[in-house]
Amino acid sequence: MKYLDPKADLTEINSNTQEIPADLLNNPEIEKAVEELKISGFTEAELWAYDKFWDSVSVERTLLDDRYQKGKEEGMEEGYIFFEKSKAMAYERTARM
């Protein structure tokens, strides 16, 4: 894969390339293209492991989101109960006066 590097006349990335210059990876389009190239060169076993990894990341994100939502709901319930008790105590204080 050849592309223009603003700091040089021409830069080439081929099958012998082991590392991409960091200044090239600052470009989001080039970074994405390099990632796609890496993935397309995976063996069947590597591709299976890659897919399995991202599946587990997705599952973990879903579980975290579910826990967050449940905690948020429980917090809202506790806040409502606290508010109601505080309101009742304030009412009792004013009723005693």
Side-chain angles (χ1 to χ4, degrees):
M1 169 163 96
K2 293 185 179 185
Y3 51 89
L4 294 178
D5 179 354
K7 297 178 184 169
D9 291 335
L10 189 64
T11 302
E12 182 176 354
I13 294 178
N14 57 35
S15 61
N16 296 324
T17 303
Q18 296 298 315
E19 292 185 27
I20 309 299
D23 59 323
L24 294 177
L25 293 177
N26 289 335
N27 181 326
E29 292 172 349
I30 292 175
E31 184 179 20
K32 183 172 170 63
V34 169
E35 182 65 23
E36 292 296 323
L37 284 172
K38 286 179 187 176
I39 294 168
S40 70
F42 284 173
T43 63
E44 283 293 319
E46 290 171 326
L47 190 56
W48 180 84
Y50 179 83
D51 287 341
K52 187 165 177 59
F53 168 77
W54 285 111
D55 284 346
S56 66
V57 168
S58 176
V59 167
E60 186 65 26
R61 285 181 178 167
T62 300
L63 292 173
L64 285 172
D65 186 56
D66 288 349
R67 283 184 263 168
Y68 173 78
Q69 291 300 328
K70 184 177 180 185
K72 192 174 173 182
E73 290 169 6
E74 288 173 358
M76 293 292 289
E77 289 172 13
E78 288 176 14
Y80 180 77
I81 290 168
F82 178 78
F83 173 75
E84 289 298 319
K85 285 182 179 178
S86 298
K87 192 167 72 170
M89 288 172 33
Y91 178 75
E92 287 176 15
R93 272 183 275 178
T94 57
R96 282 190 242 151
M97 295 180 161

